[in-house]
Amino acid sequence: MDDDRPLFRQLAERIEKQIIEGSLPEGGQVPSINEFAAFHRINPATALKGVSLLVDAGVLYKRRGIGMFVSDGAREALLSARRATFRDEFVRPLVAEARALGITPDELATMIREDPTA
Amino acid sequence: MTTAVEVTGLTKRYRSLTAVGDVTFRIREHAITGLLGRNGAGKTTLMRLITGQEFATRGEIRLFGEPPVENARVLSRTCFISESQRYPDDFRVKHVLASAPRFFAQWDADFADELVTAFRLNRRQLVKKLSRGQRSAVGVIVGLASRAPLTIFDEPYLGLDAVARQIFYDRLLADYSEHPRTVIISTHLIDEIAHLLEYAVVIDDGRIAIDSPVESLTAAAATIAGTAESVERFVAGRTVVHRARLGGLLSATLDGVTDADRAAARDAGLEVGPVSLQELIVRRTSGDANTPDSAAAGAAPETTEVTR
Amino acid sequence: MTATPSPTTASAEGTGDRQAATTLGRRVGSIMLLQLANPMTLLGWPLIILAVIFLGNLAIVTAVTQASGGGAEFTVNGGVGFLWVYTLVMVVLSVNQSFPLALGYGATRRDYLLGAGATYAALSVVYALLLATLAEIERANNGWGVGLGFFAALPEWPWHQVFLAHLLILVLFASIGAATAAIYVRWRAPGMYVFWLGLAIVVVVAVILLSTFDGWFAVRDFFHGAGVMGSLLWSLVITVLSSIAAYGILRRATPTNT
């Protein structure tokens, strides 16, 4: 956990990523605040803040006395949100970097098409 | 959130030396607060004042709402593990473990045993003969197992190796989650514990330099890097706490940065990087003369060496 | 900020009734247990050492008696004085070492002083009981058959007087140790210099005054008149003053760990 964003956002993003990848399935229970805090070695108050972000966004929901669960439809919602920001977060820096290196948009497009993992 | 410790206008003078000068702050209950600062900044004096070990020259301290000096009702709820805590010469580890529980209503003997094993201490060994790190471990064990409503660790890990320090952090977090209480950790090794802290109180030269939630501290700081010209253009009119130059490049550490600022900097083709808590504190408390913008520059801080 | 804790204010209740159970008695008991955490220090080693000194003395006296062809006369040899000095040293170490620890554990100075005082008072009673009992046995068997008066105070004294004598001397030594240690804990080395210098001056001045005004006779007459037990009872003045001094000094002391 160490980049330029606040810890609680990093935690929220990690949980989102796990939901998208399916390791936290919809309807399934997520670890407790204390477990998150212990695992990531962060203050429980920070962990609570991160998880609350997702609860407020409707990605997770609480069941009083039992714990927190992944909401139905959370994965699809997260995916579409990610798609919406994909251009800003990934394409623009890529194009900017390519321009700095003198790679034309056409050349970049070719590189992407020919990439073996594409 | 309620207050565990409230300090108002507190001053402690030793003859001509002012160890703590007119300080006002509070420690939130059920939170982990870092009391940070350079050696000799007044951290230890402040903690000794809070626990009634030292008498204030002026000002007021409220510990759980009451003055702490000779006040058994509130002092019995505190545990202060001093950096160089001395134990009676005839004490073996087991004697520490046998005598400490009587002082703490919430003492957890099983937890203490578990910690003794984790830190690989030999109960039969004389505390006096332990290594520096092992002695620190004894203090950490007492502090954690005491579960005192206010637990203060003053430089708890002098001499502890990386593994033992990690054990301390992990056990502290886990136990604190289960049994919320007020914890104050004083240290100058800030990076290692930054993520554990909810609040930071930074003391510099006997004064409070920072008193803030850690999250908002680091969120409000950023490093902006790029060509000197473009960085200068961007930082004009903002709070620059540090500048580092390399050829035509400039890296400026800014305070009071918003998300919009970050976006603006990125749009201007500048690199935006994080500032660690440690870096931020160093910048704010070093009085670095190379930074013309920093307020602390110029006036060299008086050396207040309050060592114990 | 002064040392006067305010009476009850409402906000101290926070963590509930569990803390209310920390009565003065319990807190003083905690300090006593801290003193006795390693029982060997106050109850084991001193008695073991005393036994060794006793057996050594017994061996020597037996050898001498046999060499001189018997006919042992009961002689008090004072070997038991070791225990008095040991007590003084232990009080000094204890105040110096356990005071900072107790405060770190959240004890008040008052709790500490009451607890440490109670520990050494109880210890003095235990030692005195033991010594008086051994002295009684010693008298009954004519000094272990060889006239060795190791535990006795004066040859003719009954049990309760031996007990009282030992008790008075033990608390005297303990209180002097406490006062000295208190000065050190509060003012460290400079305090010690001033204290010893002051004491030396007082003694020198007293000696000069007594010599100048022929006071030595008055001193001799005083002790003669008071008798041994009377003099020991007068030592209570020093004991009480030293105890008050130790209490007063430590009430405002700030512990250090150096």
Side-chain angles (χ1 to χ4, degrees):
Chain A
M1 288 256 185
D2 226 0
D3 58 41
D4 67 331
R5 281 145 322 141
L7 279 176
F8 68 92
R9 277 200 209 154
Q10 293 183 47
L11 174 66
E13 278 167 27
R14 284 198 181 199
I15 298 170
E16 284 177 0
K17 197 170 168 227
Q18 284 179 288
I19 293 171
I20 289 171
E21 286 166 351
S23 58
L24 285 176
E26 287 178 9
Q29 189 166 6
V30 298
S32 69
I33 300 294
N34 291 347
E35 285 166 336
F36 276 126
F39 184 79
H40 294 295
R41 293 182 167 140
I42 56 177
N43 190 293
T46 311
L48 176 65
K49 213 170 157 187
V51 169
S52 298
L53 223 58
L54 297 180
V55 172
D56 293 346
V59 175
L60 302 179
Y61 68 95
K62 279 188 218 165
R63 274 208 242 151
R64 201 164 280 285
I66 304 173
M68 277 170 310
F69 297 83
V70 180
S71 309
D72 286 332
R75 186 169 177 271
E76 196 46 53
L78 288 172
L79 278 174
S80 58
R82 290 246 164 156
R83 283 190 200 106
T85 57
F86 181 76
R87 186 182 192 129
D88 275 356
E89 282 189 17
F90 296 94
V91 180
R92 284 181 81 187
L94 182 68
V95 173
E97 179 73 5
R99 191 190 312 124
L101 297 175
I103 299 169
T104 67
D106 282 345
E107 283 169 334
L108 184 59
T110 312
M111 282 164 97
I112 291 170
R113 260 194 309 275
E114 289 174 358
D115 190 88
T117 60
Chain B
M1 189 166 278
T2 46
T3 301
V5 182
E6 192 159 14
V7 169
T8 318
L10 184 65
T11 296
K12 176 65 189 176
R13 254 186 233 118
Y14 298 99
R15 293 201 186 84
S16 62
L17 181 142
T18 304
V20 172
D22 193 19
V23 146
T24 299
F25 69 98
R26 65 196 189 98
I27 302 285
R28 281 84 172 171
E29 198 169 20
H30 296 170
I32 304 178
T33 298
L35 184 58
L36 313 170
R38 305 173 68 181
N39 284 333
K43 303 189 294 280
T44 301
T45 307
L46 204 49
M47 288 182 284
R48 288 162 57 85
L49 285 162
I50 289 170
T51 52
Q53 297 204 3
E54 202 69 66
F55 301 95
T57 308
R58 231 188 12 249
E60 199 184 28
I61 303 166
R62 296 267 158 184
L63 172 60
F64 297 117
E66 299 185 21
V69 172
E70 290 297 89
N71 185 342
R73 193 170 36 247
V74 292
L75 287 182
S76 64
R77 292 155 65 189
T78 69
C79 177
F80 178 17
I81 299 302
S82 179
E83 158 197 12
S84 51
Q85 183 62 63
R86 220 175 123 182
Y87 297 87
D89 287 349
D90 60 327
F91 267 38
R92 296 173 193 282
V93 172
K94 63 176 182 177
H95 298 131
V96 177
L97 296 174
S99 59
R102 293 273 311 190
F103 290 86
F104 306 106
Q106 277 103 331
W107 179 272
D108 185 332
D110 293 337
F111 186 32
D113 287 344
E114 210 185 298
L115 291 166
V116 169
T117 312
F119 284 112
R120 298 189 180 168
L121 286 179
N122 177 355
R123 281 160 200 280
R124 297 201 41 79
Q125 219 170 345
L126 277 172
V127 179
K128 203 181 151 189
K129 296 266 173 74
L130 295 176
S131 70
R132 190 75 198 72
Q134 287 173 313
R135 220 163 343 127
S136 292
V138 171
V140 162
I141 292 170
V142 172
L144 287 176
S146 77
R147 299 230 171 102
L150 173 64
T151 308
I152 303 181
F153 294 100
D154 183 9
E155 296 286 358
Y157 30 64
L158 285 185
L160 281 186
D161 60 36
V163 176
R165 291 203 300 276
Q166 202 57 62
I167 293 172
F168 170 54
Y169 305 141
D170 286 352
R171 296 310 173 106
L172 171 66
L173 261 189
D175 200 60
Y176 165 81
S177 301
E178 294 289 315
H179 306 273
R181 52 199 192 260
T182 309
V183 178
I184 302 177
I185 304 177
S186 144
T187 182
H188 57 271
L189 297 175
I190 301 162
D191 264 348
E192 285 199 353
I193 60 156
H195 290 180
L196 307 189
L197 303 177
E198 197 175 341
Y199 294 93
V201 173
V202 180
I203 182 166
D204 184 37
D205 197 16
R207 280 160 211 288
I208 301 297
I210 300 173
D211 176 9
S212 164
V214 171
E215 192 70 59
S216 52
L217 259 184
T218 45
T223 310
I224 308 292
T227 60
E229 192 193 346
S230 54
V231 171
E232 287 295 2
R233 201 179 315 128
F234 183 79
V235 303
R238 297 177 197 268
T239 319
V240 181
V241 289
H242 183 71
R243 278 184 163 82
R245 233 173 260 276
L246 179 68
L249 296 178
L250 178 64
S251 166
T253 305
L254 293 186
D255 205 358
V257 180
T258 63
D259 281 353
D261 291 336
R262 283 175 219 268
R266 284 202 190 89
D267 286 345
L270 297 171
E271 232 173 86
V272 182
V275 182
S276 73
L277 183 63
Q278 168 145 321
E279 207 182 335
L280 193 64
I281 290 169
V282 167
R283 297 300 173 223
R284 289 249 207 122
T285 59
S286 59
D288 190 345
N290 296 325
T291 59
D293 284 295
S294 91
E302 282 174 56
T303 38
T304 49
E305 205 54 39
V306 187
T307 45
R308 300 241 150 231
Chain C
M1 180 145 299
T2 61
T4 47
S6 74
T8 348
T9 52
S11 47
E13 287 149 22
T15 356
D17 287 335
R18 244 174 121 181
Q19 272 76 26
T22 53
T23 59
L24 179 66
R26 186 185 162 80
R27 297 196 312 266
V28 169
S30 308
I31 300 290
M32 293 182 77
L33 274 173
L34 187 67
Q35 308 285 328
L36 292 165
N38 185 351
M40 283 305 283
T41 309
L42 290 182
L43 295 170
W45 290 117
L47 299 183
I48 291 169
I49 296 168
L50 191 69
V52 169
I53 296 176
F54 166 66
L55 292 174
N57 273 286
L58 190 60
I60 293 165
V61 173
T62 306
V64 170
T65 312
Q66 274 170 1
S68 64
E73 193 190 328
F74 191 84
T75 336
V76 174
N77 92 343
V80 77
F82 154 78
L83 207 52
W84 308 336
V85 178
Y86 187 90
T87 305
L88 185 145
V89 173
M90 280 305 114
V91 170
V92 170
L93 289 181
S94 151
V95 170
N96 193 23
Q97 296 176 357
S98 64
F99 179 64
L101 183 62
L103 263 58
Y105 284 174
T108 63
R109 294 168 180 80
R110 179 163 157 267
D111 294 349
Y112 175 81
L113 289 163
L114 294 177
T119 307
Y120 282 93
L123 196 69
S124 298
V125 170
V126 169
Y127 283 170
L129 272 175
L130 183 76
L131 295 177
T133 306
L134 288 168
E136 191 72 11
I137 296 169
E138 182 175 76
R139 217 153 52 98
N141 61 24
N142 186 32
W144 317 101
V146 292
L148 172 63
F150 187 82
F151 301 103
L154 284 181
E156 70 278 11
W157 275 5
W159 183 89
H160 70 272
Q161 278 196 333
V162 180
F163 168 73
L164 190 60
H166 279 302
L167 183 61
L168 288 171
I169 296 173
L170 284 165
V171 294
L172 173 68
F173 275 64
S175 62
I176 291 173
T180 319
I183 292 170
Y184 179 71
V185 166
R186 177 143 172 203
W187 293 293
R188 316 310 290 182
M192 284 285 95
Y193 302 146
V194 172
F195 170 68
W196 290 113
L197 200 66
L199 194 65
I201 291 170
V202 167
V203 168
V204 168
V205 168
V207 167
I208 291 171
L209 287 178
L210 285 171
S211 306
T212 315
F213 299 103
D214 287 337
W216 292 112
F217 296 107
V219 172
R220 191 198 59 192
D221 289 348
F222 170 80
F223 281 112
H224 197 258
V228 178
M229 184 51 81
S231 305
L232 284 176
L233 283 171
W234 272 107
S235 77
L236 270 177
V237 175
I238 301 175
T239 305
V240 169
L241 288 179
S242 301
S243 304
I244 292 172
Y247 189 86
I249 292 168
L250 284 175
R251 264 321 281 279
R252 295 287 298 172
T254 53
T256 53
N257 281 298
T258 45

